[in-house]
Amino acid sequence: FFGIICFALAFFAVFLRIIRRSSWLKRSLHAYIYDEFKLGASLDKAVAAGKKKLLAEVRPYGKILDCGSANGMSLKYLASIPAVREIICLEPNDKYIPELQERVKALKSDAKIKIAHSTLQKYLYDNVELVGTFDAVVCFHSLSCLPETKAMGKLIQVALKKNGKLIFLEPTLASKNGWTRFLQRLLRIPIVLITGYDVGGDIIHDLSKLGWKSMKTERFTATKDAPSLFRPQVMGYCVAAVSKGGLR
């Protein structure tokens, strides 16, 4: 029995090593877990009330950059806001694009919706005229999928107008010591590699270092539709002090 456990652990370690080295396998696995295992739908249902509350408070308008759209699960929340006139759906993982395209086609909205298969950095470099033109950047469960939140935050500041807002809702490290926080830390790397989500990170700490004009956050617990380690969530918004006006 002990030998079987050791073999299983060794096999799992090799599997994680292969995932870490293969960007194609990583993209495919993340999309498969998100779609086929219904992780995306479960998370969306678990935090739907939080998304609605946040958007009702912030009231985004104008031109919106939906950063990390995945298959467009959250698009319905943005497209239903009358003051939103344009939405750019930014998604770097090609595995999500076909379903995202179908969701955009089926959506009834007055807003002009475009899809960009790109990272934010590449998108801003390829479309320099859009630097500093976005009224809001929305990140619903996308900042936690990145290895470096601060670097992404700086790029978002480049994209935003003066007083533009970063609107976010993300899984985060549990605020109190206990089994959830312990397991988030213990299983942090395997969960990141398999699902793409960093449930052991501290989004609030990372964003607070970037010199926003103001920042408001609120912790909440997602419903039981989400896996237990994904239930600690944080939502909020950051207001850009000035438009950066160029890439750094």
Side-chain angles (χ1 to χ4, degrees):
F1 179 75
F2 180 72
I4 294 175
I5 293 177
C6 290
F7 176 79
L9 290 175
F11 179 82
F12 187 59
V14 171
F15 177 65
L16 293 181
R17 188 179 182 89
I18 293 172
I19 295 174
R20 187 190 290 249
R21 292 189 172 188
S22 173
S23 59
W24 176 86
L25 181 58
K26 193 182 300 181
R27 293 197 310 272
S28 300
L29 181 61
H30 293 174
Y32 188 81
I33 296 291
Y34 191 88
D35 287 332
E36 300 302 323
F37 277 79
K38 307 298 182 183
L39 178 60
S42 297
L43 289 176
D44 182 63
K45 185 177 180 181
V47 301
K51 290 179 181 179
K52 292 175 183 177
K53 177 183 177 182
L54 178 61
L55 292 175
E57 179 181 350
V58 180
R59 292 182 292 179
Y61 61 88
K63 184 159 64 173
I64 309 296
L65 182 62
D66 183 23
C67 203
S69 296
N71 64 6
M73 192 78 68
S74 294
L75 195 55
K76 57 183 179 286
Y77 301 101
L78 300 173
S80 63
I81 301 173
V84 173
R85 58 179 174 78
E86 184 177 355
I87 304 172
I88 306 296
C89 300
L90 191 66
E91 177 50 53
N93 190 338
D94 59 301
K95 306 300 181 182
Y96 290 121
I97 298 300
E99 189 174 353
L100 176 59
Q101 291 172 333
E102 291 300 318
R103 205 176 289 268
V104 169
K105 288 179 183 178
L107 197 64
K108 295 180 180 179
S109 173
D110 292 332
K112 185 178 181 181
I113 304 175
K114 299 178 181 178
I115 296 173
H117 175 212
S118 177
T119 64
L120 179 56
Q121 183 177 32
K122 185 175 186 302
Y123 181 74
L124 292 176
Y125 270 113
D126 291 344
N127 301 274
V128 178
E129 71 280 2
L130 296 180
V131 166
T133 65
F134 289 94
D135 297 290
V137 174
V138 176
C139 293
F140 285 159
H141 290 166
S142 55
L143 287 175
S144 54
C145 295
L146 299 168
E148 182 51 69
T149 305
K150 289 181 183 178
M152 184 64 170
K154 291 178 181 178
L155 284 173
I156 289 171
Q157 289 176 328
V158 169
L160 288 169
K161 291 180 178 178
K162 180 180 180 181
N163 294 321
K165 295 175 181 177
L166 162 61
I167 305 168
F168 63 92
L169 186 151
E170 302 286 343
T172 191
L173 189 65
S175 58
K176 296 181 180 179
N177 288 326
W179 279 110
T180 298
R181 186 181 177 97
F182 172 75
L183 290 174
Q184 284 178 316
R185 288 294 198 191
L186 179 66
L187 302 175
R188 183 178 186 180
I189 293 177
I191 291 175
V192 168
L193 290 175
I194 294 172
T195 71
Y197 292 101
D198 184 3
V199 298
D202 191 342
I203 297 291
I204 299 175
H205 176 269
D206 291 341
L207 290 178
S208 66
K209 302 296 183 181
L210 296 178
W212 302 94
K213 181 178 180 180
S214 62
M215 180 175 177
K216 181 178 180 180
T217 63
E218 177 184 340
R219 288 181 177 270
F220 73 101
T221 302
T223 69
K224 292 184 179 180
D225 295 291
S228 59
L229 298 187
F230 288 76
R231 289 175 198 162
Q233 299 272 328
V234 61
M235 63 181 180
Y237 62 90
C238 306
V239 180
V242 294
S243 175
K244 297 297 183 181
L247 302 179
R248 298 180 179 181

